[in-house]
Amino acid sequence: MLNSLVQFYNNSHRVYLLIAALVSTLFFISIGSKVLTETDHRQHDFRVYYYSADAYFNHQLNPYNVADLNQVSPFHLEWRFAYPPLCLSIFNAYTALDYLTAYHLHFLLKCLAFIFLLYIWVRFFLHGHQAVALAFILSCFAFHQSVSIDMLTGNISIFEQALLFWGLSCLLQKKYTPYCIAIICLSCFKVLPLAFLILPFLITPSLHSFLILPIGLLSFLGIQYVSFTLDPHLYHYFLTHMAPMDSTGFVNPSSLAFFKETIEPWLPNTIFLALYSLFIVSICILTLRAYLRHRTKAPAWMIIDGFILTFCLLAPRLKDYSFIILIIPAVHVCLHAVSKRSFRILLILLLCVSLWPYHHFFALLLLWVLLLRHLSTLTKEH
């Protein structure tokens, strides 16, 4: 009788996985059809990447000036290039092809990167059919459909997440060198991932793991210095014309955006800054306190989840497509930190709907609270 119940339980999880895989397949086929048939309206971020490289390398124009970009683009571009000058060399490879061919190649590479990301998740971060099924569902619907947004806009977030989680999989295997390389490569596009250099020390405190931080920082600075020497004027222009952090709401539901939109208009600037600083300090203190108290009890994946959630809460800019990074922590919190099935279903629904612009900021905050609460319940060494 007991064996029959166990077999039924295992079979039901397989059925959930098959259903989730089918739903995910249909969902991403619909996204693919939009990208491939609506070429004039999709992947507008890629459009900026392509014509920025074309403007700089083929026409000696400034990729950080929208007017210059519109001289070479047949489309009307509203945004300038947002990444450091060195990144232009990567996108320049696309300009060997005509725009439409490069457009399709970029989407194909994004699909391959997402498949690779799913492989890394299943191989190193998801255990059991239930976890894999939930990851599939959250990839489709969670966090304002962040994966879908990335695919449709042509942003590079999928590539970033594939590289990040490959690096984290190396970290779980204590392969520090490839992990460090992955974080440095990520930071050449966006500087905030440099914070992940401290993660190896948090998981396994030692001189070896701590040295990753200074080595990674020096390597990053060396790369930036080389980039500066190649074209000092362009690098200076990039630094002085960086994209402002003025987007808010659904597009950028970060903690800073929430405080700026809901508190800054009603209170003096000094009080706004004080409240935001208090929020940041409180998150840091509570996270550090939980880590110091329960570090020896927590498995590596839980420390990684806690770091990711804290990182996202502290990030001053967290675009909608960047929420892809939260899918794995969300799966772990749903399955490990919430014991009652009814509460688990409610949490999943909360992650998969968007009721107001800062819905997912509070969903992120809730995931962080639930993880810290679960961490405090651990009673045995792992």
Side-chain angles (χ1 to χ4, degrees):
M1 179 66 178
L2 181 60
N3 290 335
S4 298
L5 290 174
V6 170
Q7 185 177 4
F8 175 78
Y9 180 78
N10 292 332
N11 289 336
S12 65
H13 281 192
R14 291 191 182 95
V15 172
Y16 295 152
L17 176 57
L18 289 173
I19 294 174
L22 178 61
V23 171
S24 301
T25 301
L26 294 175
F27 182 81
F28 287 109
I29 286 176
S30 70
I31 292 175
S33 66
K34 291 179 181 178
V35 173
L36 296 176
T37 59
E38 302 173 7
T39 55
D40 289 340
H41 308 290
R42 303 298 180 184
Q43 295 203 113
H44 49 74
D45 282 2
F46 172 71
R47 193 177 297 166
V48 174
Y49 306 153
Y50 181 90
Y51 287 109
S52 293
D54 183 47
Y56 179 68
F57 288 103
N58 299 327
H59 301 277
Q60 291 71 54
L61 296 174
N62 189 342
Y64 300 108
N65 186 309
V66 177
D68 282 7
L69 295 184
N70 281 310
Q71 291 184 40
V72 299
S73 171
F75 306 97
H76 176 69
L77 302 182
E78 299 179 2
W79 302 282
R80 57 182 177 266
F81 192 65
Y83 303 117
L86 198 61
C87 301
L88 286 165
S89 300
I90 297 175
F91 296 116
N92 187 43
Y94 284 120
T95 63
L97 306 170
D98 64 90
Y99 173 74
L100 194 59
T101 304
Y103 173 100
H104 288 101
L105 175 61
H106 184 69
F107 180 67
L108 173 62
L109 293 176
K110 284 175 69 70
C111 292
L112 294 175
F114 185 60
I115 292 171
F116 176 72
L117 178 61
L118 290 175
Y119 167 77
I120 293 294
W121 283 354
V122 173
R123 175 70 175 81
F124 295 99
F125 297 94
L126 300 172
H127 304 288
H129 297 131
Q130 190 176 19
V132 176
L134 182 54
F136 284 173
I137 294 300
L138 294 184
S139 295
C140 293
F141 305 110
F143 304 114
H144 202 212
Q145 298 184 5
S146 56
V147 176
S148 172
I149 291 173
D150 181 77
M151 290 290 189
L152 293 173
T153 60
N155 196 266
I156 61 170
S157 189
I158 287 289
F159 297 115
E160 292 174 329
Q161 299 309 317
L163 184 57
L164 174 62
F165 277 93
W166 172 76
L168 291 173
S169 70
C170 294
L171 180 59
L172 289 175
Q173 302 170 77
K174 292 184 168 50
K175 298 178 180 178
Y176 294 142
T177 300
Y179 173 77
C180 187
I181 292 173
I183 299 304
I184 293 170
C185 291
L186 276 175
S187 302
C188 287
F189 287 86
K190 300 173 184 177
V191 69
L192 287 181
L194 281 175
F196 279 81
L197 291 173
I198 195 63
L199 185 54
F201 180 76
L202 298 178
I203 295 175
T204 310
S206 67
L207 178 61
H208 187 199
S209 60
F210 177 76
L211 286 176
I212 293 174
L213 178 60
I215 291 173
L217 289 176
L218 289 174
S219 301
F220 173 77
L221 292 175
I223 293 172
Q224 298 309 307
Y225 177 74
V226 170
S227 178
F228 171 78
T229 57
L230 291 175
D231 193 334
H233 176 73
L234 184 67
Y235 198 91
H236 179 265
Y237 198 94
F238 160 71
L239 292 177
T240 55
H241 293 77
M242 295 179 69
M245 292 184 289
D246 53 359
S247 57
T248 57
F250 282 116
V251 176
N252 175 34
S254 67
S255 57
L256 178 59
F258 170 75
F259 276 83
K260 286 182 68 175
E261 189 166 1
T262 60
I263 296 178
E264 189 179 27
W266 309 101
L267 296 173
N269 192 54
T270 52
I271 297 180
F272 154 71
L273 291 175
L275 289 175
Y276 177 66
S277 300
L278 179 61
F279 171 81
I280 295 298
V281 172
S282 299
I283 294 294
C284 291
I285 291 176
L286 291 173
T287 303
L288 184 60
R289 176 173 172 266
Y291 167 77
L292 293 175
R293 283 190 174 186
H294 309 290
R295 174 181 61 80
T296 58
K297 306 171 187 176
W301 64 262
M302 193 175 294
I303 296 177
I304 291 174
D305 286 351
F307 188 89
I308 289 174
L309 293 172
T310 304
F311 171 83
C312 290
L313 282 172
L314 300 180
R317 182 182 176 91
L318 191 67
K319 297 296 287 291
D320 43 11
Y321 42 70
S322 299
F323 274 73
I324 299 171
I325 194 176
L326 295 175
I327 291 175
I328 290 300
V331 171
H332 291 159
V333 170
C334 288
L335 297 183
H336 298 282
V338 181
S339 56
K340 292 187 177 180
R341 186 176 182 181
S342 57
F343 290 166
R344 185 179 296 169
I345 293 174
L346 286 175
L347 178 58
I348 294 171
L349 291 175
L350 178 69
L351 298 175
C352 292
V353 298
S354 298
L355 300 178
W356 70 301
Y358 292 98
H359 176 101
H360 293 299
F361 164 66
F362 283 95
L364 165 61
L365 190 60
L366 177 60
L367 291 174
W368 175 79
V369 170
L370 290 173
L371 183 68
L372 261 59
R373 175 181 171 274
H374 179 60
L375 188 61
S376 67
T377 64
L378 298 178
T379 58
K380 63 180 181 179
E381 296 284 333
H382 286 261

